[in-house]
Amino acid sequence: MHLRIFSRMKINQLLIKAILFLFLLNSTTTAFELTSHTIGKENSAINIEIFSSFTCPHCAKLHLNILPDLIKNYTNTGKAKITLKDFPLDLAALNASKIEKCILDKNKLKFHDTIYLKQSEWASGSNIEEINQKLKKISLDLGMSDEIFNSCLNNQKNEEFVLKTRIDAQKKYNISATPTIVINNKKYNGDYTFSAISKYIEKIN
C-alpha cells in the first residue's frame, strides 16, 4: 500500500482514538501540561495562530518566507503573539509534531526551521520507519539524545495533545487545509503574503 494512503488511514484511526479519549476526560480538568510553541509576549493585543502540517509544502513556504517578517514586524515589536499549532495531515507529520514537543524551548523554532527547510529530504520514504530515522537524525543534530527521541516518539500524551489540537481547530475554526492562519480568534481568508497579512493585522489593530 502506498505510504501516503497508509498514513491517512493511520491518522484517521488515531483521530478516532483521540475523540474517544476526549469523551473520557473530566471537562473541569486539563488533560495535558504540553503547549504549542509561542513567540512573543503573552499579553500582546494581536494573537496569531498558524495551523500547519510539517509535511505540507505550502506550510514550509509560509514558515520560511513569511513567518520571519511577521516575527520581525510584530512579535519583536511587542504588537503580536504568534503560536505555531499542529494540524498533521499524515503519520509522518504527526510523528514530527510529537518529537517537537520534546525539543528544548530555545531550539523549538530552529527545529521548525530545519524540518521545513529539509522537508523534501525527510518527509518521503518507502515506509514510516525510514522517515522516523530521518527525523531522528535532525533531532540528534539539535541536541536530543537517542533515548529521548525514542521515548518521545512513543509518548501517548504527546500524541493525544497533537491530535486534540487538530480536533479543536476543526471544531472551532472549521479548518480543513494547511496552512491556516487565525488572527484574534477569526480565520484569515486573504492572500498568504506578508503584505496582505500585514494589511489585515493593521486594520484590526
Side-chain angles (χ1 to χ4, degrees), residues 95-106:
N95 286 350
S97 290
K98 288 161 63 177
I99 297 303
E100 187 265 357
K101 299 298 171 279
C102 298
I103 295 287
L104 294 175
D105 284 346
K106 65 179 182 179

Side-chain angles (χ1 to χ4, degrees), residues 67-86:
L67 181 62
D69 285 330
L70 290 174
I71 292 174
K72 177 182 177 181
N73 289 275
Y74 292 102
T75 64
N76 289 353
T77 58
K79 296 178 180 178
K81 174 184 71 174
I82 299 175
T83 305
L84 307 179
K85 295 209 164 184
D86 302 296

Side-chain angles (χ1 to χ4, degrees), residues 88-115:
L89 297 179
D90 51 44
L91 184 56
L94 172 62
N95 286 350
S97 290
K98 288 161 63 177
I99 297 303
E100 187 265 357
K101 299 298 171 279
C102 298
I103 295 287
L104 294 175
D105 284 346
K106 65 179 182 179
N107 290 331
K108 280 190 184 290
L109 187 57
K110 187 175 182 180
F111 178 84
H112 283 255
D113 293 344
T114 305
I115 285 291

